[in-house]
Amino acid sequence: MQKIKLHPSGREVECQGGDTVLAALERAGYALPNNCRAGACGECKVKVLSGQFDQGMVLDMALSQEERKQGFGLMCMAKPLSPELVIEWGTEDAKPKLFPPREDQRFVLVDRIARTPGIVELRLRPVGQVMRYWPGQYVTLGDERAGAPMRCYSIANAPRTDGEIVLQITRVDDGKTSIWAHDRITLGDVVKLSGPYGTFIGDPAVDSPVLCMASGSGLAPILALAEAALRRGYRKPVTLMFSARTEADLYDTGLMRYWETKHRNFTYKPSLTREKRDGRLSGRLPDVLPQVFKDLSQHSVFVAGNPDFVAACVSAAKALGARDEMIHTEGYFGQAQPETAPASHLVSP
Protein backbone atom coordinates (compact mmCIF):
# COMPACT_ATOMS: atom_id res chain seq x y z
CA MET A 1 0.00 0.00 0.00
CA GLN A 2 1.39 3.41 -0.99
CA LYS A 3 1.05 6.71 0.82
CA ILE A 4 0.12 10.08 -0.63
CA LYS A 5 1.59 13.01 1.25
CA LEU A 6 -0.09 16.41 0.99
CA HIS A 7 2.25 19.41 0.82
CA PRO A 8 2.55 21.73 2.70
CA SER A 9 0.36 20.28 5.49
CA GLY A 10 2.30 17.01 5.70
CA ARG A 11 -0.87 14.97 6.10
CA GLU A 12 -0.78 11.45 4.72
CA VAL A 13 -3.42 9.42 2.89
CA GLU A 14 -3.22 5.68 2.26
CA CYS A 15 -3.68 4.54 -1.33
CA GLN A 16 -4.89 1.00 -1.86
CA GLY A 17 -3.49 -1.09 -4.68
CA GLY A 18 -4.99 -0.13 -8.04
CA ASP A 19 -6.54 3.11 -6.74
CA THR A 20 -5.96 6.44 -8.43
CA VAL A 21 -4.73 9.37 -6.36
CA LEU A 22 -8.12 11.05 -6.75
CA ALA A 23 -9.97 7.97 -5.45
CA ALA A 24 -7.66 7.72 -2.43
CA LEU A 25 -8.05 11.40 -1.59
CA GLU A 26 -11.83 11.24 -1.89
CA ARG A 27 -11.95 8.17 0.35
CA ALA A 28 -10.04 10.18 2.96
CA GLY A 29 -12.44 13.12 2.65
CA TYR A 30 -10.39 15.43 0.43
CA ALA A 31 -12.13 16.72 -2.68
CA LEU A 32 -9.91 17.69 -5.57
CA PRO A 33 -11.79 19.52 -8.32
CA ASN A 34 -12.69 16.96 -10.95
CA ASN A 35 -15.18 16.42 -13.70
CA CYS A 36 -14.56 13.81 -16.39
CA ARG A 37 -12.54 11.34 -14.25
CA ALA A 38 -11.03 10.13 -17.53
CA GLY A 39 -8.00 12.35 -18.16
CA ALA A 40 -9.81 14.67 -20.55
CA CYS A 41 -10.76 17.87 -18.72
CA GLY A 42 -7.72 18.81 -16.62
CA GLU A 43 -9.72 19.79 -13.53
CA CYS A 44 -7.74 17.50 -11.20
CA LYS A 45 -4.30 18.75 -12.29
CA VAL A 46 -1.76 19.08 -9.46
CA LYS A 47 2.02 19.23 -9.19
CA VAL A 48 3.82 16.09 -8.00
CA LEU A 49 6.81 17.13 -5.90
CA SER A 50 8.39 13.70 -5.42
CA GLY A 51 7.74 10.04 -6.13
CA GLN A 52 6.78 8.08 -9.23
CA PHE A 53 3.34 7.44 -10.68
CA ASP A 54 1.73 5.89 -13.71
CA GLN A 55 -0.15 8.70 -15.47
CA GLY A 56 -2.17 6.37 -17.70
CA MET A 57 -3.84 7.57 -20.90
CA VAL A 58 -4.67 11.30 -20.81
CA LEU A 59 -5.25 13.90 -23.49
CA ASP A 60 -2.58 16.48 -24.35
CA MET A 61 -5.24 19.18 -24.23
CA ALA A 62 -5.79 18.33 -20.54
CA LEU A 63 -2.09 17.85 -19.66
CA SER A 64 0.45 19.35 -22.04
CA GLN A 65 3.93 17.98 -22.57
CA GLU A 66 5.40 21.09 -20.95
CA GLU A 67 3.21 20.57 -17.87
CA ARG A 68 4.38 16.96 -17.66
CA LYS A 69 8.02 18.14 -17.69
CA GLN A 70 7.20 20.54 -14.85
CA GLY A 71 5.86 17.64 -12.76
CA PHE A 72 2.14 18.11 -13.14
CA GLY A 73 -0.23 15.17 -13.37
CA LEU A 74 -3.94 14.40 -13.61
CA MET A 75 -4.92 12.71 -10.38
CA CYS A 76 -8.06 11.07 -11.77
CA MET A 77 -5.81 8.71 -13.76
CA ALA A 78 -2.52 8.79 -11.81
CA LYS A 79 -1.62 5.66 -9.82
CA PRO A 80 1.33 5.76 -7.38
CA LEU A 81 4.29 3.51 -8.15
CA SER A 82 6.66 4.55 -5.35
CA PRO A 83 6.01 3.94 -1.63
CA GLU A 84 5.33 7.69 -1.17
CA LEU A 85 3.95 10.28 -3.56
CA VAL A 86 4.14 13.93 -2.47
CA ILE A 87 1.69 16.28 -4.17
CA GLU A 88 1.21 20.03 -3.88
CA TRP A 89 -2.29 20.35 -2.50
CA GLY A 90 -4.01 22.56 0.04
CA THR A 91 -2.57 24.92 2.61
CA GLU A 92 -0.70 24.30 5.86
CA ASP A 93 -3.94 23.12 7.49
CA ALA A 94 -4.82 21.03 4.38
CA LYS A 95 -7.68 23.28 3.35
CA PRO A 96 -8.22 23.77 -0.40
CA LYS A 97 -5.66 25.80 -2.28
CA LEU A 98 -7.40 28.60 -4.15
CA PHE A 99 -6.84 29.07 -7.86
CA PRO A 100 -5.32 32.42 -8.90
CA PRO A 101 -8.01 34.72 -10.35
CA ARG A 102 -7.71 36.00 -13.92
CA GLU A 103 -9.14 39.29 -15.17
CA ASP A 104 -11.25 39.94 -18.26
CA GLN A 105 -11.88 36.36 -19.33
CA ARG A 106 -14.09 36.34 -22.43
CA PHE A 107 -17.34 34.36 -22.26
CA VAL A 108 -20.25 34.04 -24.69
CA LEU A 109 -23.85 34.10 -23.47
CA VAL A 110 -25.26 30.80 -24.76
CA ASP A 111 -28.58 30.77 -22.91
CA ARG A 112 -30.72 32.83 -20.56
CA ILE A 113 -33.60 31.54 -18.44
CA ALA A 114 -36.13 33.53 -16.39
CA ARG A 115 -36.08 31.56 -13.15
CA THR A 116 -38.59 33.79 -11.32
CA PRO A 117 -40.18 37.17 -12.12
CA GLY A 118 -37.10 38.77 -10.59
CA ILE A 119 -34.23 36.34 -11.22
CA VAL A 120 -32.60 35.62 -14.57
CA GLU A 121 -30.10 32.82 -15.14
CA LEU A 122 -27.22 33.44 -17.54
CA ARG A 123 -25.27 30.52 -19.01
CA LEU A 124 -21.84 31.56 -20.24
CA ARG A 125 -19.13 29.54 -22.00
CA PRO A 126 -15.46 30.52 -22.22
CA VAL A 127 -13.89 31.59 -25.49
CA GLY A 128 -10.44 30.65 -24.23
CA GLN A 129 -9.07 28.76 -21.26
CA VAL A 130 -11.56 27.17 -18.87
CA MET A 131 -11.79 28.93 -15.49
CA ARG A 132 -10.75 26.69 -12.60
CA TYR A 133 -12.67 27.35 -9.40
CA TRP A 134 -14.05 25.78 -6.25
CA PRO A 135 -17.83 25.41 -5.88
CA GLY A 136 -19.08 28.30 -3.76
CA GLN A 137 -16.78 30.91 -5.29
CA TYR A 138 -17.86 33.96 -7.30
CA VAL A 139 -16.87 36.08 -10.30
CA THR A 140 -17.28 39.73 -11.25
CA LEU A 141 -19.40 40.74 -14.25
CA GLY A 142 -20.22 44.09 -15.81
CA ASP A 143 -19.47 46.51 -18.62
CA GLU A 144 -18.24 49.94 -17.58
CA ARG A 145 -18.70 51.27 -21.14
CA ALA A 146 -22.38 50.33 -20.96
CA GLY A 147 -22.77 52.00 -17.56
CA ALA A 148 -22.85 48.67 -15.73
CA PRO A 149 -20.23 48.64 -12.94
CA MET A 150 -18.47 45.37 -12.19
CA ARG A 151 -20.48 43.41 -9.61
CA CYS A 152 -19.94 40.08 -7.87
CA TYR A 153 -22.09 37.03 -8.57
CA SER A 154 -21.76 33.52 -7.22
CA ILE A 155 -21.27 30.69 -9.67
CA ALA A 156 -24.36 28.47 -9.52
CA ASN A 157 -22.86 25.25 -10.88
CA ALA A 158 -20.01 22.87 -10.13
CA PRO A 159 -17.12 22.89 -12.64
CA ARG A 160 -17.89 21.30 -16.02
CA THR A 161 -15.79 19.99 -18.88
CA ASP A 162 -16.92 22.70 -21.29
CA GLY A 163 -16.21 25.43 -18.73
CA GLU A 164 -19.79 26.71 -18.66
CA ILE A 165 -20.48 29.21 -15.88
CA VAL A 166 -24.04 29.70 -14.58
CA LEU A 167 -24.98 32.98 -12.89
CA GLN A 168 -28.33 33.82 -11.27
CA ILE A 169 -28.96 37.55 -11.05
CA THR A 170 -31.69 39.31 -9.09
CA ARG A 171 -33.22 42.36 -10.75
CA VAL A 172 -33.02 45.56 -8.68
CA ASP A 173 -34.88 48.63 -9.92
CA ASP A 174 -31.94 50.99 -9.35
CA GLY A 175 -29.25 48.38 -9.95
CA LYS A 176 -27.43 49.38 -13.14
CA THR A 177 -25.63 46.07 -13.55
CA SER A 178 -28.66 43.90 -12.84
CA ILE A 179 -30.78 45.89 -15.32
CA TRP A 180 -28.01 45.51 -17.92
CA ALA A 181 -27.90 41.75 -17.29
CA HIS A 182 -31.69 41.39 -17.44
CA ASP A 183 -32.51 43.70 -20.36
CA ARG A 184 -29.46 44.44 -22.50
CA ILE A 185 -27.30 41.33 -22.83
CA THR A 186 -28.50 39.15 -25.70
CA LEU A 187 -27.67 35.60 -26.76
CA GLY A 188 -24.31 35.45 -28.50
CA ASP A 189 -22.93 38.55 -26.78
CA VAL A 190 -19.36 38.39 -25.51
CA VAL A 191 -18.93 39.51 -21.90
CA LYS A 192 -15.94 39.59 -19.58
CA LEU A 193 -15.68 37.79 -16.24
CA SER A 194 -12.92 38.09 -13.65
CA GLY A 195 -12.27 35.51 -10.96
CA PRO A 196 -12.67 33.20 -9.22
CA TYR A 197 -12.86 34.89 -5.82
CA GLY A 198 -14.12 34.04 -2.34
CA THR A 199 -13.67 31.39 0.32
CA PHE A 200 -17.25 30.12 0.77
CA ILE A 201 -16.07 26.57 0.18
CA GLY A 202 -15.80 24.99 3.61
CA ASP A 203 -13.31 22.23 4.33
CA PRO A 204 -13.69 19.20 2.03
CA ALA A 205 -11.90 17.06 4.63
CA VAL A 206 -14.88 17.39 6.99
CA ASP A 207 -17.20 14.39 6.71
CA SER A 208 -20.42 15.41 8.45
CA PRO A 209 -24.11 15.92 7.77
CA VAL A 210 -24.65 19.16 5.84
CA LEU A 211 -27.32 21.84 6.22
CA CYS A 212 -27.60 24.55 3.57
CA MET A 213 -29.86 27.59 3.98
CA ALA A 214 -30.46 30.21 1.28
CA SER A 215 -32.81 32.98 0.20
CA GLY A 216 -33.24 34.60 -3.22
CA SER A 217 -30.23 34.32 -5.51
CA GLY A 218 -28.24 33.28 -2.46
CA LEU A 219 -29.26 29.84 -3.71
CA ALA A 220 -26.56 30.09 -6.41
CA PRO A 221 -23.44 29.14 -4.39
CA ILE A 222 -25.46 26.55 -2.48
CA LEU A 223 -26.41 24.88 -5.77
CA ALA A 224 -22.75 24.69 -6.79
CA LEU A 225 -21.70 23.22 -3.43
CA ALA A 226 -24.54 20.67 -3.39
CA GLU A 227 -24.00 19.62 -7.01
CA ALA A 228 -20.28 19.05 -6.42
CA ALA A 229 -20.86 17.05 -3.23
CA LEU A 230 -23.56 14.84 -4.75
CA ARG A 231 -21.58 14.31 -7.93
CA ARG A 232 -18.60 12.95 -6.01
CA GLY A 233 -20.76 10.56 -4.03
CA TYR A 234 -21.02 12.35 -0.67
CA ARG A 235 -22.78 9.89 1.63
CA LYS A 236 -23.80 11.90 4.69
CA PRO A 237 -27.24 13.60 4.77
CA VAL A 238 -27.46 16.88 2.84
CA THR A 239 -30.47 19.14 3.57
CA LEU A 240 -31.17 22.28 1.54
CA MET A 241 -33.62 24.78 3.04
CA PHE A 242 -34.71 27.65 0.78
CA SER A 243 -36.69 30.71 1.83
CA ALA A 244 -39.06 32.37 -0.67
CA ARG A 245 -41.92 34.80 -0.35
CA THR A 246 -44.39 32.87 -2.51
CA GLU A 247 -44.54 29.72 -4.62
CA ALA A 248 -43.73 31.86 -7.69
CA ASP A 249 -40.40 32.79 -6.09
CA LEU A 250 -39.26 29.16 -5.83
CA TYR A 251 -36.99 28.02 -8.64
CA ASP A 252 -34.96 24.98 -9.67
CA THR A 253 -37.74 22.88 -8.13
CA GLY A 254 -37.33 20.28 -10.88
CA LEU A 255 -33.61 19.99 -10.17
CA MET A 256 -34.34 19.58 -6.46
CA ARG A 257 -36.78 16.74 -7.19
CA TYR A 258 -34.21 15.09 -9.46
CA TRP A 259 -31.56 15.25 -6.74
CA GLU A 260 -33.99 13.83 -4.16
CA THR A 261 -34.85 10.97 -6.53
CA LYS A 262 -31.27 10.14 -7.51
CA HIS A 263 -29.56 10.79 -4.16
CA ARG A 264 -31.38 9.31 -1.18
CA ASN A 265 -29.26 11.36 1.22
CA PHE A 266 -30.49 14.68 -0.24
CA THR A 267 -33.56 16.50 1.11
CA TYR A 268 -35.09 19.76 -0.12
CA LYS A 269 -37.23 21.82 2.28
CA PRO A 270 -38.50 25.16 0.93
CA SER A 271 -40.37 27.57 3.18
CA LEU A 272 -42.79 30.32 2.13
CA THR A 273 -43.00 33.53 4.13
CA ARG A 274 -46.00 35.27 2.53
CA GLU A 275 -48.38 32.45 1.66
CA LYS A 276 -49.25 28.96 2.77
CA ARG A 277 -49.23 25.91 0.51
CA ASP A 278 -49.81 22.24 1.27
CA GLY A 279 -46.55 20.36 1.56
CA ARG A 280 -44.51 23.53 2.18
CA LEU A 281 -43.06 24.87 5.38
CA SER A 282 -44.43 28.27 6.35
CA GLY A 283 -42.40 31.08 7.88
CA ARG A 284 -38.87 32.43 8.08
CA LEU A 285 -36.13 29.80 8.13
CA PRO A 286 -34.78 30.85 11.54
CA ASP A 287 -38.27 30.28 12.95
CA VAL A 288 -38.97 26.94 11.25
CA LEU A 289 -35.47 25.50 11.74
CA PRO A 290 -36.31 23.94 15.16
CA GLN A 291 -39.20 22.11 13.49
CA VAL A 292 -36.75 20.31 11.21
CA PHE A 293 -33.71 19.85 13.45
CA LYS A 294 -33.27 19.29 17.16
CA ASP A 295 -29.46 19.18 17.23
CA LEU A 296 -26.97 20.69 14.76
CA SER A 297 -23.83 20.10 16.78
CA GLN A 298 -22.45 17.62 14.24
CA HIS A 299 -23.54 19.49 11.08
CA SER A 300 -21.59 21.60 8.64
CA VAL A 301 -23.80 24.65 8.04
CA PHE A 302 -23.72 26.84 4.92
CA VAL A 303 -25.83 30.03 4.76
CA ALA A 304 -26.15 32.46 1.83
CA GLY A 305 -28.44 35.45 1.33
CA ASN A 306 -28.73 39.06 2.48
CA PRO A 307 -26.82 39.93 5.68
CA ASP A 308 -29.90 40.05 7.92
CA PHE A 309 -31.03 36.62 6.70
CA VAL A 310 -27.56 35.17 7.21
CA ALA A 311 -27.22 36.59 10.73
CA ALA A 312 -30.65 35.31 11.78
CA CYS A 313 -30.00 31.82 10.37
CA VAL A 314 -26.59 31.60 12.04
CA SER A 315 -28.11 32.61 15.36
CA ALA A 316 -30.85 29.99 15.01
CA ALA A 317 -28.32 27.31 14.05
CA LYS A 318 -26.12 28.13 17.03
CA ALA A 319 -29.14 27.86 19.32
CA LEU A 320 -29.42 24.26 18.09
CA GLY A 321 -25.78 23.53 18.84
CA ALA A 322 -24.02 24.41 15.57
CA ARG A 323 -20.33 25.11 16.14
CA ASP A 324 -18.56 28.24 14.91
CA GLU A 325 -15.84 26.33 13.07
CA MET A 326 -18.44 24.41 11.07
CA ILE A 327 -20.53 27.43 10.01
CA HIS A 328 -19.80 29.03 6.62
CA THR A 329 -21.56 32.19 5.45
CA GLU A 330 -21.91 34.38 2.36
CA GLY A 331 -23.69 37.72 2.76
CA TYR A 332 -25.04 39.72 -0.19
CA PHE A 333 -24.82 43.50 0.02
CA GLY A 334 -26.83 45.91 -2.13
CA GLN A 335 -25.27 48.13 -4.77
CA ALA A 336 -25.30 51.09 -2.43
CA GLN A 337 -22.50 49.39 -0.49
CA PRO A 338 -18.82 50.09 -1.27
CA GLU A 339 -17.58 48.25 -4.33
CA THR A 340 -14.65 46.69 -2.47
CA ALA A 341 -16.39 44.22 -0.17
CA PRO A 342 -14.58 41.63 1.96
CA ALA A 343 -13.73 38.40 0.17
CA SER A 344 -16.41 36.52 2.10
CA HIS A 345 -19.19 38.82 0.93
CA LEU A 346 -20.78 39.66 -2.39
CA VAL A 347 -21.81 42.98 -3.86
CA SER A 348 -25.05 42.15 -5.68
CA PRO A 349 -26.79 42.55 -7.98
Side-chain angles (χ1 to χ4, degrees):
M1 182 178 292
Q2 290 91 3
K3 286 187 177 180
I4 301 167
K5 190 171 184 178
L6 309 181
H7 176 80
S9 69
R11 295 189 185 179
E12 294 183 346
V13 172
E14 291 186 347
C15 185
Q16 300 176 7
D19 266 358
T20 64
V21 175
L22 176 61
L25 291 175
E26 288 183 333
R27 186 176 293 110
Y30 297 99
L32 275 176
N34 68 89
N35 195 339
C36 71
R37 305 180 79 92
C41 72
E43 280 294 312
C44 61
K45 187 185 306 174
V46 300
K47 190 169 187 177
V48 178
L49 302 179
S50 68
Q52 289 76 48
F53 63 99
D54 177 5
Q55 179 58 89
M57 295 293 293
V58 301
L59 300 182
D60 283 344
M61 62 177 289
L63 183 68
S64 69
Q65 293 300 318
E66 181 60 31
E67 289 173 326
R68 297 177 198 229
K69 292 178 182 178
Q70 294 173 6
F72 287 92
L74 300 186
M75 298 300 101
C76 69
M77 300 295 286
K79 295 181 179 180
L81 296 175
S82 55
E84 181 180 85
L85 193 70
V86 181
I87 66 171
E88 189 176 64
W89 190 89
T91 59
E92 290 186 357
D93 54 3
K95 289 186 178 180
K97 183 177 181 179
L98 300 180
F99 301 111
R102 293 182 287 125
E103 295 185 354
D104 296 333
Q105 301 169 69
R106 297 170 70 231
F107 281 72
V108 174
L109 179 63
V110 297
D111 200 4
R112 60 184 303 131
I113 303 169
R115 288 301 186 188
T116 73
I119 297 177
V120 66
E121 179 174 287
L122 305 182
R123 292 179 172 264
L124 302 148
R125 290 190 184 176
V127 176
Q129 183 180 351
V130 169
M131 180 191 298
R132 301 188 73 197
Y133 65 93
W134 285 97
Q137 290 192 290
Y138 64 89
V139 296
T140 60
L141 168 70
D143 187 342
E144 298 286 353
R145 296 172 301 176
M150 298 298 289
R151 295 303 188 204
C152 305
Y153 298 102
S154 285
I155 301 171
N157 62 296
R160 299 177 187 175
T161 306
D162 60 10
E164 183 171 281
I165 297 290
V166 177
L167 303 180
Q168 296 172 339
I169 300 176
T170 300
R171 184 186 187 96
V172 176
D173 290 340
D174 58 354
K176 295 180 180 179
T177 305
S178 72
I179 292 174
W180 169 76
H182 275 252
D183 298 341
R184 297 174 61 186
I185 305 178
T186 60
L187 295 181
D189 281 357
V190 177
V191 299
K192 292 181 179 180
L193 303 182
S194 296
Y197 305 109
T199 57
F200 185 58
I201 56 180
D203 183 352
V206 174
D207 186 26
S208 69
V210 174
L211 168 62
C212 299
M213 292 183 281
S215 66
S217 54
L219 183 61
I222 297 298
L223 288 175
L225 288 163
E227 179 188 353
L230 295 173
R231 181 196 291 172
R232 70 182 178 90
Y234 197 81
R235 298 300 181 186
K236 294 297 177 68
V238 177
T239 303
L240 195 165
M241 300 185 70
F242 181 56
S243 178
R245 294 179 179 180
T246 67
E247 187 77 15
D249 295 312
L250 295 178
Y251 66 100
D252 274 332
T253 302
L255 178 62
M256 299 298 100
R257 180 61 61 86
Y258 170 72
W259 282 353
E260 284 187 314
T261 302
K262 184 174 181 179
H263 306 283
R264 293 177 180 265
N265 60 319
F266 177 78
T267 303
Y268 175 57
K269 289 187 174 296
S271 184
L272 306 178
T273 60
R274 295 194 179 179
E275 69 179 23
K276 293 185 178 181
R277 290 289 186 97
D278 291 341
R280 302 294 193 202
L281 295 171
S282 180
R284 299 171 61 252
L285 289 193
D287 298 330
V288 303
L289 192 60
Q291 302 174 27
V292 182
F293 293 96
K294 301 303 180 185
D295 181 7
L296 291 173
S297 60
Q298 302 302 313
H299 279 68
S300 293
V301 179
F302 294 83
V303 189
N306 68 64
D308 290 340
F309 171 83
V310 169
C313 286
V314 168
S315 179
K318 286 184 176 181
L320 294 172
R323 294 177 283 164
D324 286 339
E325 66 272 19
M326 296 180 72
I327 297 176
H328 312 276
T329 63
E330 191 80 287
Y332 287 69
F333 292 96
Q335 288 192 354
Q337 297 291 332
E339 293 194 18
T340 52
S344 60
H345 295 79
L346 297 186
V347 182
S348 174

